[in-house]
Amino acid sequence: VIWVSSIMLNNGGQPYGYFMSDPAMIDPGFGSKDLFRQLVHEAHERGMYVVLDVITDQLCSDGFQYKRDPSIDSVTACTLSAEYMYWNTSDASVHTKYKNASNLTWGVEIPPYLQNQTLFQRCGKQSQFRPDGQRYEDMPKLYNSSRATLFEAGLLWPEAFASPGAEPDFNTLNPIWQEMYSNLLNYWIAYADIDGLRFDAAKYVGADYIAYLATHARNYAAKLGKKQFFLTG
């Protein structure tokens, strides 16, 4: 099996591969769509499978950031609101309306089809989350089962890797985003004839999101005649 690390269009052409700005395009530094499809074809001719690494949690671009930096109070309120909706709400539409979410500027590389506020979580940085008035990074030292929901909230909803040009996470609660990203992954399965997906940062997004992507990818691959489709994270 050949595991291809992230090759999607990267912020500023970053060679590392995990500063994705457009999941529908391959970064010129790694080649082109046609070259990737040719690589997969030639691997198949040699009896090998190809698994593509995909980013599941965020986008990156210069200038892609909050219009106003979220405060500690707004980060905490937004995170707790998102966690409550995750466990207590059956109406999917509310997952685009959680409290205290901040608005974004799009920067220079986020493609127009992704420039929609509701596709992103917009709570703020994990370092500003204060469950029960305490610093989130201190929670592992104080962890007990009664605080499991708070611990999960801080893991899933604020940005664990926030930095300039790499701020808000995808709103994985939003069913519209789940369907959009699933369709993007299906595109690569059909176009390049890949044999599997590796979900990067899977532990930082909701389990239902990964389950949705995995189930739909496997079902789509089966419709294309792939008897085995590999999924890992």
Side-chain angles (χ1 to χ4, degrees):
V1 175
I2 300 173
W3 171 12
V4 180
S5 61
S6 179
I7 56 175
M8 301 309 166
L9 190 65
N10 272 255
N11 175 36
Q14 292 276 357
Y16 180 54
Y18 291 86
F19 296 85
M20 181 180 72
S21 58
D22 188 349
M25 301 295 293
I26 287 180
D27 193 89
F30 294 114
S32 67
K33 291 181 178 181
D34 288 343
L35 281 175
F36 180 51
R37 182 164 60 179
Q38 181 181 345
L39 181 149
V40 176
H41 175 72
E42 293 186 7
H44 288 169
E45 287 187 332
R46 291 163 173 79
M48 294 184 287
Y49 297 104
V50 178
V51 173
L52 178 63
D53 202 315
V54 294
I55 310 299
T56 62
D57 59 334
Q58 65 179 8
L59 290 182
C60 303
S61 173
D62 292 339
F64 180 43
Q65 59 195 18
Y66 293 107
K67 291 183 178 180
R68 179 179 298 176
D69 287 339
S71 66
I72 287 175
D73 288 344
S74 68
V75 172
T76 301
C78 181
T79 300
L80 296 179
S81 173
E83 181 71 6
Y84 177 84
M85 290 179 179
Y86 184 65
W87 289 108
N88 297 283
T89 307
S90 58
D91 178 7
S93 67
V94 302
H95 298 326
T96 66
K97 305 174 184 176
Y98 44 84
K99 297 177 181 178
N100 292 91
S102 300
N103 288 326
L104 307 168
T105 59
W106 300 112
V108 296
E109 293 184 295
I110 304 301
Y113 76 94
L114 292 177
Q115 293 183 17
N116 184 303
Q117 300 286 339
T118 66
L119 298 182
F120 298 90
Q121 193 64 30
R122 298 176 292 130
C123 279
K125 298 179 181 179
Q126 187 185 78
S127 61
Q128 292 181 289
F129 179 43
R130 296 291 187 273
D132 294 336
Q134 297 175 328
R135 287 159 47 98
Y136 179 73
E137 51 264 44
D138 293 334
M139 281 200 73
K141 306 172 188 176
L142 307 170
Y143 180 80
N144 59 64
S145 58
S146 66
R147 301 175 59 123
T149 299
L150 289 176
F151 186 79
E152 177 189 70
L155 187 65
L156 294 182
W157 311 127
E159 288 84 47
F161 303 111
S163 61
E167 289 280 357
D169 288 348
F170 294 129
N171 182 1
T172 62
L173 287 173
N174 186 344
I176 296 173
W177 170 246
Q178 292 184 0
E179 183 177 358
M180 282 181 62
Y181 202 51
S182 176
N183 288 339
L184 283 165
L185 298 181
N186 289 347
Y187 165 77
W188 288 111
I189 296 170
Y191 178 83
D193 197 26
I194 58 174
D195 306 292
L197 296 167
R198 184 259 177 184
F199 297 123
D200 182 65
K203 72 176 182 178
Y204 295 103
V205 296
D208 58 332
Y209 174 54
I210 293 297
Y212 182 96
L213 297 180
T215 299
H216 283 74
R218 183 176 281 123
N219 289 344
Y220 185 73
K223 291 179 181 178
L224 298 179
K226 292 182 177 292
K227 296 181 179 180
Q228 289 186 316
F229 192 77
F230 302 94
L231 295 164
T232 186

